[in-house]
C-alpha cells in the first residue's frame, strides 16, 4: 500500500489534513466554551452547534457539489477547495483576534458556524 510513491504522498497528505481538522474543531469547541461564552448557561448548546454544522453541510452541499466536481479536473478542485478552506480559517482567525466586545457574541458564533459549514462543504470526501 505505501510502496507506491503517489499513494504514499496522498495518504500522508490526508493524515496531515485530518489531524489539522481535528485540531481546528477541538480548538473551536474550547474557544466557544471557555473563552467566548465563559460562564454562560447556553455555552454547551453553542458548542454542540459545531456538531450540527458538519453533517448539515454534508447533507446540503455534498450532493449538488458532487454533480459538478465529478466533471471537473480533480487536482484543480482539490487545490481550490483547500484555498477556500484556508481563506475561511484565516478570516475566522482574524475575528478571534479582535478585542472583546468588538463584535456581539451572536455575530462571532454566526461566523464560526458559517466557517465550519462552508469549510466542511469544501472539504474533500
Amino acid at each position: 500500500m505505501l510502496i507506491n510513491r503517489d499513494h504514499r504522498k496522498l495518504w500522508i497528505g490526508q493524515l496531515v489534513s485530518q489531524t489539522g481538522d481535528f485540531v481546528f474543531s477541538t480548538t473551536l469547541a474550547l474557544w466557544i466554551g471557555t473563552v467566548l461564552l465563559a460562564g454562560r448557561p447556553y455555552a454547551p448548546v453553542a458548542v454542540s452547534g459545531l456538531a450540527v454544522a458538519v453533517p448539515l453541510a454534508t447533507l446540503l452541499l455534498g450532493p449538488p457539489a458532487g454533480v459538478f466536481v465529478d466533471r471537473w479536473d480533480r487536482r484543480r478542485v482539490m487545490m481550490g477547495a483547500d484555498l477556500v478552506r484556508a481563506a475561511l480559517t484565516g478570516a475566522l482567525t482574524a475575528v478571534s483576534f479582535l478585542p472583546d466586545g468588538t463584535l456581539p457574541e451572536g455575530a462571532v458564533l454566526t461566523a464560526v458556524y458559517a466557517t465550519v459549514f462552508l469549510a466542511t462543504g469544501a472539504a474533500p470526501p
Side-chain angles (χ1 to χ4, degrees):
M1 175 173 85
L2 296 179
I3 295 172
N4 184 335
R5 182 174 177 257
D6 292 334
H7 190 274
R8 182 176 55 239
K9 287 169 59 176
L10 176 65
W11 192 83
I12 291 171
Q14 288 296 319
L15 178 68
V16 170
S17 178
Q18 289 180 359
T19 302
D21 289 344
F22 174 76
V23 169
F24 179 66
S25 62
T26 303
T27 302
L28 283 179
L30 290 172
W31 179 52
I32 290 172
T34 61
V35 176
L36 186 63
L37 301 177
R40 305 279 196 313
Y42 53 89
V45 175
V47 171
S48 66
L50 294 172
V52 172
V54 172
L56 195 62
T58 303
L59 289 172
L60 295 178
L61 299 179
V67 171
F68 296 106
V69 169
D70 286 342
R71 292 177 172 85
W72 295 341
D73 180 42
R74 288 188 177 118
R75 183 180 172 111
R76 284 187 176 182
V77 169
M78 287 179 68
M79 292 174 80
D82 284 341
L83 286 174
V84 166
R85 294 174 70 203
L88 289 167
T89 304
L92 188 61
T93 301
V95 168
S96 73
F97 281 110
L98 291 174
D100 290 341
T102 304
L103 293 174
E105 292 172 353
V108 176
L109 281 176
T110 301
V112 169
Y113 295 148
T115 299
V116 170
F117 183 84
L118 295 172
T120 301

